[in-house]
Amino acid sequence: MAIIKPFRALRPQPALAKEVAARPYDVLNSAEAAAEAAGNPNSFYHVSKSEIDLPDGTDVHSEAVYLKAAENLQALRDAGTLFHEDQPCYYIYKLVMDGRAQTGLVCVSSIDDYNNGIIKKHEFTRPDKELDRINHITYTRAQTGNVFLAYDDVPELNTIIDHWQQRHAPVYDFIADDGIAHTIWVVDEAATGEQITELFATKVPATYIADGHHRAASAALVQKATNENIHSSANLNYFLTTIFPASQLAILDYNRLVKDLNGHSKADFLSQLEYDFIVEPIGHHEQKPSMLHEFSMYLDGTWYRLVAQEGTYTTDPIGILDVTILQNNVLDKLLGIKDPRTDKRIDFVGGIRGLGELVKRVNSGEMQVAFALYPVTIGQLFDIADSGNVMPPKSTWFEPKLRDGLLTHLI
């Protein structure tokens, strides 16, 4: 069963929440972060993307960047922009995007649960990305990035969270520049907190990482390294999470772009595709896939509908995924991309950017062909995590995303 607990968040003064809030560090590059933070000394990008305050060309993984992050975090505390909660609390975090709401519980989750498989994973992590987060946590002494977890709905928990929202005013309530609404309530009543802790301990057998595998792995590695040297703060035994009921979550498509046709002519490539797919030209208008095992392909100014034929996939949790079908039958078989995690000829675009981004990059000549996929379902994600398998890289894109800086866990 899941072990969670309340914590004393480091958080902004209510009037400054919108200024502080920053998109997750890994969804934008340094130049984009610098542009968003321009003229705003309270932006949390000064902590999460601290290279924006260093000379152009600074290695984003250099010690100078992590030292600057620690310095900037302390400066926000010294200025009173951020303050440390007086007592451990749970926090309710509601996001609304395009009229769809999802509400999660912000807490700290047990690293023992992560190590013991109570918190289930569906992706491999990369050592270089782990090291980046390890250094950021170590230098700042804070977990600034939130791990997005999901769980099978528990009606009693939904009721508690709904009632709290109805009976209490939020501490933060703003609409970010991208139109996403962020509302946060502080659950500072001990009896309610105890109920929440107990329900997770008795009704939630597992939680699932939706987004934040590297943040979770890094927190566990920091705890292991520190505790091997000296028994340290109990805060290290937990990491910052926001946990959402599965029924409220939506997964967007995660699409692929490839630089070339691996020596095939256009005619030959289309002909080869017909061995494994029904191939139908659909013209110049964008059209998203409408069901599993259907793909949209953009090539030489034309969209095509591809439908996987029987025999191109298996029914096991991994084999049935559209990302697997595309990888095995197109990216590997025809385009020679064996490992999409390391091959420089492939790139990935989250569905939040729309199909227009695929058209733009192919038409520019940067890429030659694009593939749009039908989104993975939350049920597929749970099935794969339960089976102990991992998804192919870049399989899921969750929106809306939590903001950094609103709730930080100090270690």
Side-chain angles (χ1 to χ4, degrees):
M1 293 296 180
I3 300 172
I4 66 166
K5 70 175 188 176
F7 70 106
R8 294 176 59 208
L10 181 70
R11 61 185 183 89
Q13 299 293 342
L16 300 176
K18 184 175 179 179
E19 291 181 33
V20 170
R23 291 192 288 155
Y25 77 97
D26 54 354
V27 303
L28 74 174
N29 60 35
S30 302
E32 290 169 331
E36 291 194 18
N40 179 9
N42 293 324
S43 171
F44 207 73
Y45 289 127
H46 296 291
V47 177
S48 61
K49 303 283 288 185
S50 54
E51 67 271 15
I52 68 175
D53 295 323
L54 295 171
D56 289 346
T58 299
D59 180 356
V60 298
H61 299 126
S62 65
E63 185 180 33
V65 171
Y66 305 115
L67 287 169
K68 192 65 175 176
E71 176 188 326
N72 288 346
L73 181 62
Q74 188 60 50
L76 289 171
R77 297 183 68 180
D78 291 344
T81 303
L82 303 179
F83 69 96
H84 201 190
E85 198 82 69
D86 290 335
Q87 65 184 61
C89 300
Y90 285 118
Y91 303 85
I92 296 168
Y93 192 157
K94 179 180 178 182
L95 303 103
V96 181
M97 184 180 80
D98 298 332
R100 183 182 64 81
Q102 62 185 56
T103 304
L105 181 76
V106 188
C107 59
V108 289
S109 294
S110 167
I111 285 177
D112 282 346
D113 279 1
Y114 176 84
N115 291 331
N116 297 331
I118 302 298
I119 297 172
K120 296 181 180 288
K121 317 163 189 70
H122 69 265
E123 285 184 5
F124 286 126
T125 52
R126 286 170 43 184
D128 58 332
K129 289 193 171 184
E130 289 178 352
L131 182 59
D132 172 56
R133 289 301 92 190
I134 289 169
N135 286 335
H136 198 273
I137 293 170
T138 302
Y139 279 82
T140 62
R141 306 302 295 168
Q143 295 161 355
T144 62
N146 213 311
V147 179
F148 181 162
L149 301 181
Y151 67 99
D152 280 319
D153 286 51
V154 175
E156 298 96 322
L157 281 167
N158 292 344
T159 297
I160 290 172
I161 289 171
D162 289 345
H163 285 177
W164 190 273
Q165 293 175 78
Q166 293 164 12
R167 293 186 291 114
H168 298 83
V171 292
Y172 307 134
D173 189 10
F174 64 90
I175 298 176
D177 291 342
D178 58 4
I180 298 174
H182 300 263
T183 311
I184 293 178
W185 291 260
V186 179
V187 181
D188 53 3
E189 183 180 277
T192 300
E194 289 167 6
Q195 280 183 285
I196 291 170
T197 304
E198 179 66 15
L199 282 168
F200 270 89
T202 57
K203 300 280 189 177
V204 180
T207 58
Y208 299 79
I209 299 178
D211 196 7
H213 282 80
H214 288 94
R215 296 188 283 276
S218 301
L221 289 168
V222 169
Q223 184 241 29
K224 180 181 178 182
T226 306
N227 284 350
E228 282 178 351
N229 296 322
I230 186 171
H231 185 71
S232 57
S233 166
N235 286 352
L236 268 176
N237 298 324
Y238 292 82
F239 64 105
L240 180 62
T241 60
T242 300
I243 312 181
F244 290 90
S247 65
Q248 296 187 22
L249 300 181
I251 304 177
L252 301 187
D253 43 311
Y254 215 148
N255 303 315
R256 274 77 172 133
L257 288 153
V258 181
K259 289 182 180 293
D260 59 70
L261 296 183
N262 195 33
H264 295 284
S265 67
K266 173 185 171 182
D268 180 52
F269 181 63
L270 290 170
S271 176
Q272 294 292 325
L273 282 172
E274 290 179 346
Y275 284 99
D276 297 311
F277 299 87
I278 298 169
V279 181
E280 174 190 352
I282 54 178
H284 302 298
H285 298 293
E286 301 169 4
Q287 182 174 307
K288 285 191 172 188
S290 60
M291 61 183 182
L292 289 171
H293 309 337
E294 177 182 299
F295 307 82
S296 295
M297 179 180 74
Y298 186 67
L299 174 65
D300 194 25
T302 299
W303 283 98
Y304 296 82
R305 177 174 176 261
L306 310 181
V307 180
Q309 301 195 55
E310 288 188 17
T312 59
Y313 55 90
T314 60
T315 57
D316 64 273
I318 297 293
I320 202 168
L321 291 174
D322 284 351
V323 286
T324 304
I325 296 169
L326 185 71
Q327 175 61 37
N328 291 345
N329 298 287
V330 182
L331 300 179
D332 182 355
K333 182 178 178 180
L334 299 182
L335 298 178
I337 296 171
K338 303 295 183 184
D339 186 351
R341 290 186 300 166
T342 59
D343 198 303
K344 302 300 184 185
R345 295 167 54 230
I346 189 170
D347 199 6
F348 306 88
V349 175
I352 191 67
R353 293 183 178 266
L355 298 190
E357 180 71 9
L358 304 183
V359 171
K360 173 184 171 184
R361 294 182 66 181
V362 171
N363 286 352
S364 72
E366 176 197 359
M367 297 291 182
Q368 192 162 356
V369 63
F371 301 93
L373 288 77
Y374 190 77
V376 172
T377 68
I378 194 72
Q380 287 178 318
L381 186 153
F382 281 12
D383 287 345
I384 288 166
D386 285 338
S387 72
N389 288 304
V390 295
M391 287 185 177
K394 309 294 185 182
S395 295
T396 58
W397 184 281
F398 284 87
E399 286 287 349
K401 293 190 180 295
L402 304 161
R403 288 301 197 262
D404 287 350
L406 295 176
L407 299 164
T408 294
H409 180 224
L410 299 178
I411 60 170

